[in-house]
């Protein structure tokens, strides 16, 4: 009979080996500390790209994927499309929810000028609960947030952290440039990854935040979504360093692409010389990475030149699904970025005060352009059925006007 492995004992580690291990850990900690300057706040610069799957777009399908990008928070939500069968817009709740999350994150975490705020931020779960309580729309959605907290103190020193909150089957992948064998070799490697929360492993039944009425669920309990947030949310904290890359996506990304495929796409575009001083990545390049990831996801659902379907995590041929992706880089929160965001906030307040018959865009296009210009310091997200992204628009003026008319499920 084959013998099982049984219990493996814990081995004693001698003093000399302990001392060697401590020296190695100390060197690594010192190396990371050199990258992190004391009291140096960080922020996200990000871009989002999403696209309705062509097979769904032909049937007039409502794309309920929503993204948010801002200096202190990036997020993804995927509205449950079945809600449309009851005459409801499945994108309304995820849009309201992420907009409320962004507002709270900026109030609680945005540095005051170049100073850190203290005491306002209580963690991702209280933030999500307060955001949900501020919404009114009916619907159901998954949600994923990455919150950049500059107020965390470790061993008496400020140390920026990324707090991740996940409800459902959206996922996040954090990458970091790690030095190779050669001093001039550096590549992105995965240092953190969440897992999907699916009920009984069913790909069509993720954990969800919902608000329903008797048309959809006669037994709906208003306490349930708060229980999902407080007891069901998966929360993680990851150290944040300048140059870290955050990739977030709906299940359409991670059901179709293996992690190493996502890492390879990022390494194809985000090349760095470790011997050189860190320079933030151009935001247009981040949007190109997000675009490539979404395109690679949809390519899995089409046969290749040999008529064969490629392997995917969910199975050969992948899953035909609406797909959204956020790609963010962690960079220093500078005075220039602080001033740019202050302009955005002033212009948003101005837009909320003055409207023309309820339609600000009809008479205030110049102010909208000012907001877009300032927002490029941090990244924007756009969506339409053909696929679009944030950042500096390209193409003719006619294409830009057409694209702006189709912006829907993005918050920036």
């Amino acid at each position: 009979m084959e013998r099982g492995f049984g219990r493996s004992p814990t081995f004693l580690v001698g003093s000399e080996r302990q001392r060697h291990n401590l020296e190695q850990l100390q060197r690594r900690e010192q190396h990371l500390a050199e990258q992190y300057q004391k009291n140096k706040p960080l922020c996200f610069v990000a871009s989002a790209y999403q696209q309705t799957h062509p097979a769904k777009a032909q049937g007039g399908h409502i794309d309920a994927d929503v993204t948010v990008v801002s200096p202190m928070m990036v997020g993804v939500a995927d509205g449950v499309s079945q809600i449309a069968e009851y005459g409801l817009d499945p994108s309304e709740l995820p849009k309201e929810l992420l907009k409320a999350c962004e507002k709270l994150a900026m109030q609680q975490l945005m540095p005051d000028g170049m100073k850190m705020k203290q005491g306002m931020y209580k963690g991702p779960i209280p933030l999500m609960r307060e955001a949900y309580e501020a919404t009114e729309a009916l619907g159901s959605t998954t949600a994923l947030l990455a919150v950049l907290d500059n107020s965390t103190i470790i061993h008496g020193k400020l140390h920026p952290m990324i707090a991740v909150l996940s409800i459902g089957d959206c996922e996040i992948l954090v990458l970091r440039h790690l030095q190779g064998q050669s001093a001039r070799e550096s590549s992105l490697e995965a240092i953190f990854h969440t897992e999907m929360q699916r009920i009984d492993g069913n790909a069509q039944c993720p954990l969800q935040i919902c608000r329903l009425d008797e048309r959809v669920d006669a037994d709906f309990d208003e306490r349930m979504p708060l229980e999902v947030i407080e007891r069901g949310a998966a929360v993680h904290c990851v150290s944040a360093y300048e140059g870290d890359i955050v990739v977030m996506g709906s299940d359409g990304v991670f059901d179709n692409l293996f992690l190493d495929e996502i890492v390879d796409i990022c390494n194809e575009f985000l090349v760095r010389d470790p011997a050189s001083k860190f320079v933030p990545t151009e935001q247009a390049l981040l949007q190109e990475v997000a675009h490539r990831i979404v395109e690679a996801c949809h390519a899995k659902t089409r046969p290749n030149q040999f008529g064969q379907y490629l392997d995917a995590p969910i199975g050969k041929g992948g899953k035909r699904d609406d797909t959204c992706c956020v790609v963010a880089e962690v960079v220093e929160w500078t005075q220039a970025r602080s001033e740019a965001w202050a302009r955005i906030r002033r212009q948003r307040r101005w837009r909320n005060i003055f409207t023309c018959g309820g339609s600000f865009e009809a008479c205030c296009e110049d102010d909208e352009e000012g907001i877009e210009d300032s927002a490029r310091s941090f990244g924007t997200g756009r969506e339409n059925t053909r696929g679009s992204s944030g950042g500096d628009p390209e193409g003719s003026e006619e294409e830009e006007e057409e694209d702006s008319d189709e912006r829907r499920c993005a918050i920036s």
Side-chain angles (χ1 to χ4, degrees), residues 47 69 78 102 108 155 218 274 277 306 324 333 350 398 403:
S47 181
V69 295
D78 186 357
E102 184 213 18
Q108 298 175 11
H155 300 308
K277 181 181 178 181
F306 305 108
C324 68
W333 175 257
W350 184 263
E398 291 80 9
D403 186 65

Side-chain angles (χ1 to χ4, degrees), residues 116-134:
M116 249 70 84
K117 289 182 179 179
Q118 297 291 337
M120 294 184 66
Y121 173 66
K122 303 299 182 182
I125 289 180
L127 185 149
M128 176 60 80
R129 174 175 178 142
E130 187 175 350
Y132 173 79
E133 291 175 335

Side-chain angles (χ1 to χ4, degrees), residues 342-368:
R343 287 196 298 273
I344 294 172
R345 297 178 72 180
R346 285 196 301 269
Q347 289 161 336
R348 283 181 174 178
R349 284 196 295 267
W350 184 263
R351 180 172 59 179
N352 291 335
I353 293 172
F354 295 101
T355 62
C356 300
S359 177
F360 180 88
E361 291 81 2
C363 63
C364 306
E365 293 178 356
D366 291 341
D367 286 345
E368 180 69 23

Side-chain angles (χ1 to χ4, degrees), residues 303-309:
N304 59 19
Q305 65 270 32
F306 305 108
Q308 300 172 334
Y309 287 95

